[in-house]
Amino acid sequence: MTRETVRVPLSDRSYDIHIGGGLIDEAGALLKPHLKRPHVFVVTDENVFVTQGERLRSSLEAAGIGAAFITLPPGEATKSFSQLEKLTGRLLDLGVERDDVVIAFGGGVIGDLTGFASSVLRRGCRFAQIPTTLLAQVDSAVGGKTAINVPQGKNLIGAFHQPDLVIADITTLDTLPPRELRAGYAEVVKYGLISDAEFFHWLEDNGPALLKGDSAARVYAVKKSCDAKAAIVGADEREKGKRALLNLGHTFGHAFEAYFGYSEKLLHGEGVALGMALAFDYSAREGLCPAEAAARVKAHLKAAGLPAEIGDLKTSPSADVIAKYMMQDKKVEQGKLTLILAKGIGESFIAKDADLSRVTAFLKEKTGE
Ligand code: NAD
Ligand code: GLY
């Protein structure tokens, strides 16, 4: 099966993303050059441990690497202060040293928590990402954003901390629940919509095969997504400018995620899908983007089994409530909303000073108020 490597260009903190099928079985060999001693600490969740844990353990063993596994409960609630306290305490008890590599083996929840723990352990130890969800392979494992959630909001306590390497084995997706796969697919579509119309067209043709399990399509899509993210992160690691484009759909989407309490009722990727559809619809309403482009985006997301209209949700908050949640966005500057809008497919841009009353009027049309 095809193997790909994408480099994230960050001068002396540059690192590789290895993409392919069966890479977990080679993880020991890939990790070995990064280790100062033949021992790692693997942080994972119960679902990943059951479905993929043995493969990683054998691969490390075969490379002569000792491993301590720490298994946490699955789910968004694990990105918490209490789990951070337990995890860092456990790693210190196990004798983690600053030059050791802690491995985040799981989806975005495990990656964000483990990355953050690594950023503060002994004032910063090293870590590697072995992402096992599509969302993590194309987005959360790349770029160094790490965080936990607090009652005030999601991802509000965190740090930028880049991994030493990323190993994205697409065969891990074979055990991923289909709904989680579809949610991750929304983040793949995002890269086409931000800046690569050709990739979006490719997804229109090949998305169904990718979702069904076509390995070549998965490797290609993960590589294209990582190429796009690596270029943006390399140019703007700390989100002073163009990295905000990666938030396409997120300001609308987060509002719905917050309304549903960041629960199973709406997965992050599902919120992003709905948010991207709304961002295109709003762009069309404002005369910035052709209505056909917005319709095409919605049709593709719907065909992939993702929400693309507020009516696709079981219940919806009112427009005022959605707008209130949108104002909690991290991109709000001096009380002004920043949205990622589009001139067309592959032509997204950062719109500062978005007019909240126009956004609310748009949302009222969408909720039918
Ligand atoms: P997740 O980590 O909760 O994983 C989804 C579910 O799939 C979990 O139940 C998990 O146990 C299970 N799972 C994972 N891999 C599996 C596998 N191979 N086989 C079987 N089950 C498996 O969710 P996610 O969608 O990967 O990540 C969502 C999180 O990522 C959110 O907290 C979000 O804020 C964060 N995120 C971070 C960034 C970033 O840049 N740091 C970007 C996007 C999202
Ligand atoms: N997922 C958004 C970012 O990494 O910036």
Side-chain angles (χ1 to χ4, degrees), residues 55-305:
R55 286 180 71 194
L56 182 58
R57 191 192 290 283
S58 321
S59 165
L60 294 169
E61 241 171 55
I65 301 169
F69 276 71
I70 301 173
T71 306
L72 304 177
E76 190 66 32
T78 292
K79 273 175 61 173
S80 65
F81 259 123
S82 66
Q83 288 294 344
L84 176 72
E85 187 179 4
K86 283 187 198 154
L87 174 59
T88 47
R90 185 94 182 93
L91 286 164
L92 290 171
D93 287 345
L94 287 166
V96 70
E97 296 173 7
R98 196 184 259 177
D99 275 336
D100 282 333
V101 173
V102 178
I103 297 174
F105 181 43
V109 164
I110 290 297
D112 281 10
L113 172 71
T114 308
F116 185 46
S118 307
S119 78
V120 290
L121 262 172
R122 302 199 194 279
R123 297 208 179 91
C125 70
R126 297 162 61 223
F127 91 114
Q129 292 265 17
I130 306 189
T132 62
T133 63
L134 183 57
L135 181 138
Q137 294 184 352
V138 301
D139 192 0
S140 64
V142 175
K145 278 191 183 174
T146 75
I148 56 169
N149 307 327
V150 284
Q152 289 81 356
K154 204 168 128 89
N155 295 329
L156 292 186
I157 305 290
F160 286 95
H161 188 53
Q162 300 292 344
D164 276 36
L165 88 159
V166 180
I167 301 172
D169 181 344
I170 55 117
T171 65
T172 60
L173 306 180
D174 295 343
T175 57
L176 191 64
R179 185 179 169 202
E180 297 288 353
L181 186 75
R182 288 195 297 272
Y185 183 72
E187 301 278 11
V188 176
V189 174
K190 181 180 81 176
Y191 294 106
L193 298 182
I194 291 175
S195 60
D196 193 343
E198 208 176 293
F199 183 44
F200 181 79
H201 301 159
W202 183 89
L203 288 170
E204 287 182 312
D205 291 340
N206 297 283
L210 183 162
L211 288 167
K212 275 200 193 117
D214 183 300
S215 305
R218 286 182 176 184
V219 171
Y220 181 79
V222 173
K223 155 102 165 80
K224 287 292 281 183
S225 302
C226 288
D227 276 339
K229 182 149 186 185
I232 289 180
V233 169
D236 178 24
E237 183 185 9
R238 300 261 164 162
E239 200 169 311
K240 302 287 181 222
K242 72 186 283 197
R243 186 164 180 169
L245 289 170
L246 295 172
N247 281 309
L248 173 64
H250 284 58
T251 306
F252 286 106
H254 274 159
F256 290 92
E257 284 187 80
Y259 170 73
F260 286 115
Y262 300 103
S263 69
E264 295 289 301
K265 287 183 188 152
L266 187 73
L267 300 178
H268 175 69
E270 293 169 341
V272 170
L274 175 61
M276 292 190 301
L278 289 172
F280 267 79
D281 263 350
Y282 181 68
S283 302
R285 184 186 191 266
E286 292 294 293
L288 300 165
C289 150
E292 306 80 68
R296 202 161 157 190
V297 171
K298 279 191 286 189
H300 185 61
L301 294 170
K302 271 181 191 274

